[in-house]
Amino acid sequence: MIDFSTTYKEFLRAIEDKMLEYVKVIPPVNLYEPFEYLISGGGKRIRPVLAMICCGAVGNDPYIAIDSGVAVEILHNFTLVHDDIMDESRLRRGRDTVHIKWDVPTGILVGDVMVGYAYNLLPKANEHIRSQEIISAFTNGLIEVCEGQAYDMEFNRRIDITIEDYFNMIDKKTAKLLETSAIIGGLTGNGNVEEINALRLYAHNLGIAFQLQDDLLDLTAEQAELGKTIGQDIIEGKKTYMILRAVEKSSIPEDIALLEEFYKNNGLTINYIPKIKEMFERLEIFKVVKEKYESYYNEAQSCLGILKDNEYTQMLNWVVDKLRNRNS
Amino acid sequence: MIDFSTTYKEFLRAIEDKMLEYVKVIPPVNLYEPFEYLISGGGKRIRPVLAMICCGAVGNDPYIAIDSGVAVEILHNFTLVHDDIMDESRLRRGRDTVHIKWDVPTGILVGDVMVGYAYNLLPKANEHIRSQEIISAFTNGLIEVCEGQAYDMEFNRRIDITIEDYFNMIDKKTAKLLETSAIIGGLTGNGNVEEINALRLYAHNLGIAFQLQDDLLDLTAEQAELGKTIGQDIIEGKKTYMILRAVEKSSIPEDIALLEEFYKNNGLTINYIPKIKEMFERLEIFKVVKEKYESYYNEAQSCLGILKDNEYTQMLNWVVDKLRNRNS
């Protein structure tokens, strides 16, 4: 397979340039300084890159999708800053979260203004023939990502979460904004219904796989690479696919007791992480989750069949492998 | 002047119906229950009513502006739920605020999803010829209201706030969404540039007057009517026009000491409220602020001259008097 690293880096550079040009520290600085801090924190920028590639995959210039892609990236960062407050997370990409560096009100407000900035980047009706569909897709992404976070919070209080519940939640919380990126990219490139649908399904599968792998990396990555605490999900009591499968597979009293402790206290303290890892290893949970996300990554690739066979469709294929081979 | 109370009530009824029909308690209920709670809390609904009247004032059916008007009302309620968290307010319209009845994460998230719901109410490009301008006005309203709140928060930490700073802040925090309503109403009615501009100026003056009067009512209304603590602004250390004018007019040591105490502690405890009221009374601050907001209300009315002389333009005139004669 061709290596698209150079193209990715070119897209990334254009995206970073666009974001830094777009977000200036103007008055009130107590609002725009944290905004600039948030968007200058780096990251994979997978959402805007995806929008650009999808625009190319339907046969148009990827660069015309930069603004809309950045809109989705800003929306994604809005969800991060608010989620970090709700989850009381102190670190994000190795730096203090906004509500820690500033305060909770600042975190709330900067998230809010980001939504407006994101909308302003979407093409107006006189700028793009598919403007209306792009704006609708974006708004639906916003609503569904909120619903996903609501489910995530609700799951924290419930002990009866099923694997189906979990997939429904990550579909909304993680996959949806990737879908939004893919759809918006395809719409910007003026793709037809079948193409848009294929891109949507591709991004859906990619998103589910991405989240399953993220859950795994939360326990297996190196701290320095992850930029946050190892086992954060365990500490926060997240009922991930791994936890739910461990509940199914556990049979010895020690494992059952450990999982009960996790459920009863809505999470475990950091010193339990090695125990959890040992159990997951022994019950082959790491193997099971890996197989699961691999199957979603494969499904994502198989969605690409109906698209034009051009370099960007190939790049969508390459993105899957790039993500599955990541280590943070 | 004709009494438009019946028309106002008809509009209000249609708005309430629309909102209750639009916001259903669907899963996730931890998100949509507080959303429904928020929008069922009543209120003057001045923003959607204004949108409807402005649509009529440019010669069109007011009822075609209901959806866009409700969008602004939902956006307004989004700002209230987030502001209440930031300001740590416990009561709103006589009921527990969302973050008190539920919790802070719920308050953040319900606000977020409301923005998406609001956007979904705005007309799509194929639904209205002025769709693009309506969406842009709405987004600008969202951004500026966040900026207004940022200034408000920043003012809490500063001791050098001028009267000019105060007016700039309330322009963004309060007047802007009224302007947004008026502009959107005028655009929905397909008004011309001069009409839209007159409606914008009308709403700007109305908004400034409204906020100045609100600051006064915070100290002079009956608690039961206000639905919140009397003197909340003093407790929170808000540098209102009244405080800023009192600083200018104070000369005896007791007044200077009281104001210094207010500035030093970023507000005063509830037992200081009678002292503040006595001082404001004696320094004629209540009289000064009343004159000030009356002049803005008058200016609002004088902006209506270039509009069509129809019943809705007359109703805009009536709205000014209705607001200025309110007691909560």
Side-chain angles (χ1 to χ4, degrees), chain B residues 142-261:
Chain B
L142 164 56
I143 292 171
E144 293 211 41
V145 80
C146 291
E147 292 179 355
Q149 172 68 1
Y151 280 119
D152 198 10
M153 288 179 357
E154 186 201 321
F155 288 5
N156 227 345
R157 297 187 198 106
R158 279 173 50 193
I159 55 162
D160 59 344
I161 303 305
T162 64
I163 288 177
E164 193 190 340
D165 292 332
Y166 170 80
F167 277 100
N168 178 46
M169 185 273 283
I170 66 170
D171 176 35
K172 286 176 180 280
K173 184 160 170 167
T174 306
K176 197 50 68 174
L177 279 196
L178 289 169
E179 277 183 51
T180 304
S181 286
I183 292 168
I184 286 180
L187 288 167
T188 306
N190 205 16
N192 65 37
V193 175
E194 288 73 27
E195 288 172 323
I196 304 291
N197 199 42
L199 292 171
R200 186 183 65 73
L201 274 173
Y202 163 84
H204 167 77
N205 285 291
L206 188 73
I208 299 291
F210 183 87
Q211 187 57 54
L212 287 167
Q213 191 180 5
D214 228 44
D215 294 350
L216 175 66
L217 287 168
D218 182 66
L219 276 175
T220 59
E222 296 294 320
Q223 175 138 17
E225 280 168 349
L226 203 62
K228 60 181 183 182
T229 311
I230 295 295
Q232 189 64 35
D233 291 347
I234 297 295
I235 295 166
E236 289 176 18
K238 301 273 184 204
K239 281 115 187 165
T240 62
Y241 180 71
M242 291 184 294
I243 286 286
L244 298 169
R245 286 307 300 269
V247 169
E248 282 180 3
K249 294 185 95 178
S250 58
S251 57
I252 64 168
E254 289 78 0
D255 291 349
I256 293 169
L258 183 61
L259 287 162
E260 273 177 359
E261 197 72 7

Side-chain angles (χ1 to χ4, degrees), chain A residues 82-116:
Chain A
H82 279 190
D83 286 3
D84 283 341
I85 299 171
M86 302 184 219
D87 299 340
E88 299 179 11
S89 303
R90 302 181 61 89
L91 278 179
R92 167 74 62 185
R93 294 173 188 151
R95 308 191 305 170
D96 284 344
T97 48
V98 169
H99 69 281
I100 293 296
K101 192 171 163 77
W102 284 271
D103 50 31
V104 169
T106 300
I108 295 173
L109 198 59
V110 69
D112 293 346
V113 82
M114 287 167 88
V115 179

Side-chain angles (χ1 to χ4, degrees), chain B residues 285-296 298:
Chain B
I285 301 295
F286 292 139
K287 181 165 164 276
V288 164
V289 71
K290 188 161 189 303
E291 281 166 9
K292 194 77 180 173
Y293 74 67
E294 290 289 358
S295 80
Y296 277 95
N298 293 339

